Amino acid sequence: MKVTGLAPAILRLRNIADTVPSTARKQMTRSAERIVKVAKILVPRDTGLLEESIRIEKSYGTRGRLQIDIVAGGTGEVLRGDGYITLDQYASVVHEHYEDWVIRTNGMGPNTLAKQAANPEHVIGSKFLERAAVAEEPKLERNIIQSILQVTEQ
């Protein structure tokens, strides 16, 4: 028994295999951009340094696999109480303990109060990165599936 005519099907499958990762990367990048945008709305605003520090960091792992991290913090210092802490430390404290530690210690600052008033549909406070990512997750999954279906149907 001999099967012929498979070359076009094999070529098509190879093209799909090359196109799908590229399509998924684009969707992941768009999703990360939306997460950053929402996180910048959800983060408390004291001086604005923390909000400005929220960013995307991309790297490529094994086999060129895209890894996207959304981070807050970085170099620099923030005045807290009677001393300075690093922006990384401040990002960690605000993300994990804003209501417990920052508000109890100092109360919500005027810039955060103004931001909350300007964004009544959102809760400004802790877990800003986590909440933005959780909100985006169903959209990312849906968009990647739709993109892959479009590639396979073409």
Side-chain angles (χ1 to χ4, degrees):
M1 181 164 132
K2 183 176 181 182
V3 178
T4 60
L6 291 180
I10 291 170
L11 182 60
R12 180 174 147 87
L13 288 172
R14 285 185 183 149
N15 287 339
I16 289 172
D18 291 340
T19 307
V20 166
S22 169
T23 301
R25 278 191 210 99
K26 289 176 189 172
Q27 288 301 328
M28 288 172 61
T29 300
R30 287 186 197 123
S31 187
E33 290 167 352
R34 288 190 297 267
I35 291 169
V36 166
K37 183 178 177 181
V38 172
K40 286 185 176 199
I41 293 170
L42 300 177
V43 67
R45 182 184 295 148
D46 186 6
T47 64
L49 286 175
L50 182 54
E51 185 175 332
E52 292 168 13
S53 78
I54 299 172
R55 65 196 179 279
I56 296 170
E57 291 183 354
K58 290 183 185 181
S59 61
Y60 292 89
T62 57
R63 296 189 197 173
R65 184 174 174 196
L66 175 64
Q67 179 176 325
I68 297 177
D69 295 312
I70 300 160
V71 298
T75 58
E77 293 184 330
V78 178
L79 179 63
R80 290 303 311 156
D82 59 349
Y84 287 90
I85 62 174
T86 69
L87 187 54
D88 280 340
Q89 291 169 329
Y90 183 66
S92 178
V93 167
V94 171
H95 190 270
E96 298 300 319
H97 304 288
Y98 181 71
E99 289 79 9
D100 301 338
W101 185 68
V102 178
I103 289 181
R104 280 192 191 162
T105 305
N106 302 318
M108 192 179 281
N111 292 335
T112 303
L113 288 169
K115 187 176 188 181
Q116 183 65 74
N119 297 282
E121 68 280 6
H122 297 287
V123 175
I124 309 302
S126 62
K127 306 288 185 186
F128 51 90
L129 291 174
E130 185 177 317
R131 291 185 291 131
V134 166
E136 179 63 26
E137 189 174 7
K139 295 177 210 166
L140 172 61
E141 187 175 320
R142 182 185 65 241
N143 291 342
I144 285 180
I145 290 169
Q146 287 176 347
S147 297
I148 291 170
L149 287 174
Q150 286 175 350
V151 167
T152 58
E153 290 171 357
Q154 290 176 350

